[in-house]
Amino acid sequence: MSRVYLSPPDVGDEERRMLLEALDSGWIAPLGPHVDAFEAELARRVGVPYAVALSSGTAALHLALLLVGVERGDDVLVPSFTFVATANAATYAGARPVLVDSDEATWQMAPDLVAQELADRARRGTLPKAVVTVDLYGQTADYGRLVPMCEEYGVVLVEDAAEALGATHRGAAAGSFGAAGVFSFNGNKIITTSGGGMLVSGDERLAGRARHLATQAREPEAHYEHVDMGFNYRMSNLLAALGVAQLHGLDRRMGRRHDVNAAYRRALGGLPGIRFMPRADYGEPNDWLTCILVDPAEFGSTREEIRVALEALDIESRPTWKPLHLQPLFAGAPVLGGSVSARIFEHGLCLPSGSSLSDEDQQRVVELIGQMAPA
Ligand SMILES: Cc1ncc(COP(=O)(O)O)c(C=O)c1O
């Protein structure tokens, strides 16, 4: 039996066909018709006018922060409960991440803590340069509250939707809520280009500047002329071909992840001490990963014991993100709250959730956890 992965790439015939078509077309460089098509199709899907295909989600976050004006010495509010890339991008721009705990009811960045912090800082005249929201595990942050509060204080919002392509908030697509939105097409995401990212924006100038900075800020001259410091952040045309094929299958992949999530809930939802990541009432997640909380007092085993038992069957599962305020890297960073995300980390486990997960493999996960449950 082969290893069961948490969220492996799900590729098929269309990906192979598109990749070979791109190869045969001669457009191998980080430019070409597939990059243009991927940008146009993704922008249409998200409902924003502009999209720029990049080498990673981290690169997209870095450019987004630079282009909304984040500079050395600025503070940027970032959720603590996220992948490290969200805060690293602020550090690349010279800013200091201020880490915000999660809301118990959604696991997303806590709007109450953001509201309090913005009010306090407005009084002191020390507003942050930006608020970076994260759409965690494929469910959006609470934009019904976060967008108006950023508007009230004139603080720009950048949306890290790396995990949330296809999710919605009151009908509007994840990625469409900030001055810029960011997606990742890393190998474990809902669609993948093996590695890649996208910056989306409603601001034509911001998107144009992102495209410029991502190509080493080369000026339109025959020779190599540079005014600004740029980056080598563009996506290759070959990888964009993969992205176009993957995007065509997004709804199927999302449907499969919904089914996987629903099957886990049916099979495990009644077990003592097992709870699922709450579903917010304001939108539809893409169910990128299905995550559970394990109460050892009720369940009789810890989430780590479940993880190790799954691993013994060659099944990959993962603890939920270790909050950034508990990471040595951010030991000196200011933190607002912290106990909610710390508790989710202590008891949280992400289960195999890929769109190519077979019913049989999912059944093995369910049976093992069922066998560990108290009789
Ligand atoms: C929330 C979040 N932000 C940013 C990233 C970074 O994306 P990438 O790996 O494409 O750089 C990821 C995933 O990798 C992520 O999960």
Side-chain angles (χ1 to χ4, degrees), residues 55-61 81-87 133-137 160-163 182-189 195-198 288 321:
S55 54
S56 70
T58 310
L61 276 168
F81 192 45
T82 181
F83 182 53
V84 69
T86 316
T133 59
V134 173
D135 301 331
L136 193 80
Y137 294 129
D160 180 351
E163 302 172 1
V182 163
F183 294 102
S184 166
F185 311 117
N186 186 20
N188 64 1
K189 294 299 184 294
M198 192 82 76
W288 173 54
W321 298 124

Side-chain angles (χ1 to χ4, degrees), residues 315-335:
I315 297 173
E316 181 184 36
S317 62
R318 278 282 165 91
T320 46
W321 298 124
K322 179 173 179 179
L324 300 183
H325 73 275
L326 300 180
Q327 300 283 2
L329 177 62
F330 294 106
V335 51

